[in-house]
Amino acid sequence: MSSTFEQIANIIAETCDIPRDTIKPESHAIDDLGIDSLDFLDIAFAIDKAFGIKMPLEKWTQEVNDGKATTEQYFVLKNLADRIDELVAAKNAGTGTASGS
Amino acid sequence: MQLEYFQLIDRIVDLNIDDKTIVVEADVPQTNTIFEGHFPGHPIMPGVLLTEAMAQSSGWLLLGLMKFERMPFLAMIKEAKMRGFVNPGEVLTIDAKVEHEGSGFAVTSAQVRVGKELKCNAELTFRHIPFPHPDLRVHMDAMAKKIGFPLQALAHD
């Protein structure tokens, strides 16, 4: 099975028509790859479906707006992969909702 | 259907909160200035308005699922296919179904039929936010009453 990062990178490449080899674990989805909020909705839809989760985008956005988190924590792809792994683990453990919100 | 006000839905026929589906009807007017230009001698319902009708149908479904606490706004249209002409005076039956509920967004699929004939379908994505102005909420409540939105369907949680 491919890694979470590999799956995310493939989704981004396909959804946003970005060359796959330019998408790195260190890439920031917004700052480096130029993904806007609408495209990110499409990516979120694909990720939610692929992993069977509900990424808490509103919660993350609120945390960034409130200064409680940085965009890097959620939008650098290796970090996004970690967040997704956490959501999947929470879902598999049956600890409440997979959304965290 | 009041095209001048972009009010495309006339009646809610069925709303199933558990299945996340809705069926609505819309009466295409027999005459309208739109048909004078679209097209002379061959009046048909514009595809953008059929797409809007699918969006509004999906919107009522999402409003129901969110208990009128948030307002959905159309964000993305995918795979919109206009499969046949819709003529003045015809009655549209529009089905919509929620395909995915994300965080702050939702994806629906919708289709328009005249009788049994499929006229168009699309996948639609909506962002939803708390009502941005109280007037909009008042308007949506009034519209819900007008088109027979089954508010009792929301009370069975």
Side-chain angles (χ1 to χ4, degrees), chain B residues 22-96:
Chain B
I22 195 169
V23 182
V24 312
E25 287 182 344
D27 304 323
V28 180
Q30 193 64 246
T31 57
N32 190 279
T33 52
I34 286 174
F35 297 133
E36 294 172 19
H38 194 280
F39 295 99
H42 182 60
I44 56 173
M45 183 82 166
V48 290
L49 291 178
L50 292 171
T51 305
E52 175 66 19
M54 291 189 283
Q56 291 189 11
S57 305
S58 299
W60 285 112
L61 172 58
L62 294 172
L63 275 165
L65 289 171
M66 297 184 292
K67 300 184 184 300
F68 284 71
E69 289 170 357
R70 295 168 70 93
M71 178 72 187
F73 292 92
L74 181 61
M76 211 179 313
I77 303 165
K78 281 188 183 175
E79 300 284 335
K81 295 178 179 173
M82 304 302 133
R83 299 174 181 275
F85 296 141
V86 172
N87 304 304
E90 291 186 325
V91 178
L92 310 181
T93 301
I94 308 166
D95 297 85

Side-chain angles (χ1 to χ4, degrees), chain A residues 25-32 40 60 63-64 68-83:
Chain A
E26 299 75 25
S27 300
H28 191 297
I30 301 164
D31 297 342
D32 297 327
F40 204 82
W60 292 353
E63 287 177 5
V64 170
K68 294 176 181 170
T70 63
T71 61
E72 285 75 14
Q73 287 175 251
Y74 299 125
F75 296 108
V76 168
L77 297 189
K78 63 182 178 186
N79 297 337
L80 178 61
D82 288 344
R83 300 291 85 74

Side-chain angles (χ1 to χ4, degrees), chain B residues 88-138:
Chain B
E90 291 186 325
V91 178
L92 310 181
T93 301
I94 308 166
D95 297 85
K97 176 185 180 186
V98 171
E99 299 290 345
H100 181 68
E101 291 178 281
S103 171
F105 73 98
V107 181
T108 70
S109 59
Q111 50 196 17
V112 177
R113 286 189 165 80
V114 174
K116 291 185 177 177
E117 192 176 347
L118 181 62
K119 296 295 187 179
C120 62
N121 61 290
E123 181 184 286
L124 307 166
T125 301
F126 298 79
R127 295 179 202 271
H128 52 74
I129 59 174
F131 274 86
H133 194 283
D135 286 356
L136 179 55
R137 174 61 199 265
V138 170

Side-chain angles (χ1 to χ4, degrees), chain A residues 84-101:
Chain A
I84 290 169
D85 286 341
E86 290 166 4
L87 290 165
V88 171
K91 184 188 75 167
N92 291 339
T95 52
T97 67
S99 69
S101 64

